[in-house]
Amino acid sequence: MSKCLPFNCKICSYYKREEIGDSDFGAVYAKECTCSKDKDIDIETEEYINDFDYESVKDCCVPEFWLVADIDEEIDKLFTDKAAMSDDLYTTDVYERFKEKYHVN
């Protein structure tokens, strides 16, 4: 079996585009992702940390299934082969494998 992806911002459920408004067509999101747990903001100045390293392994990372499925070949293949047409992703073998591989509760 293939190994896990690094636990960094690229697969983290906290790293997402912030909703900055809405329009007649729905929500409007920022162009860049940021950490919704505010790990990329300096608490004292309340400004974004210049050159924050989103690529390094982080203890705060909580892997997001859909981000992992886009990158991890094993999870992608399992999803395509066994779960793509499932009504409930969370009861499938692929989601169980994701939880096992990425230590998600």
Side-chain angles (χ1 to χ4, degrees), residues 16-69:
K16 53 183 135 189
R17 288 183 169 81
E18 181 180 351
E19 186 174 337
I20 57 174
D22 60 25
S23 71
D24 293 341
F25 303 105
V28 176
Y29 295 93
K31 291 181 180 167
E32 299 295 323
C33 293
T34 59
C35 179
S36 64
K37 285 289 190 184
D38 296 333
K39 302 290 185 193
D40 56 356
I41 295 177
D42 184 326
I43 296 170
E44 292 179 15
T45 64
E46 295 184 2
E47 293 181 6
Y48 288 99
I49 298 169
N50 288 335
D51 301 323
F52 182 82
D53 185 7
Y54 294 101
E55 306 253 344
S56 66
V57 173
K58 307 271 191 298
D59 291 336
C60 57
C61 178
V62 176
E64 166 68 39
F65 177 82
W66 296 110
L67 296 174
V68 169

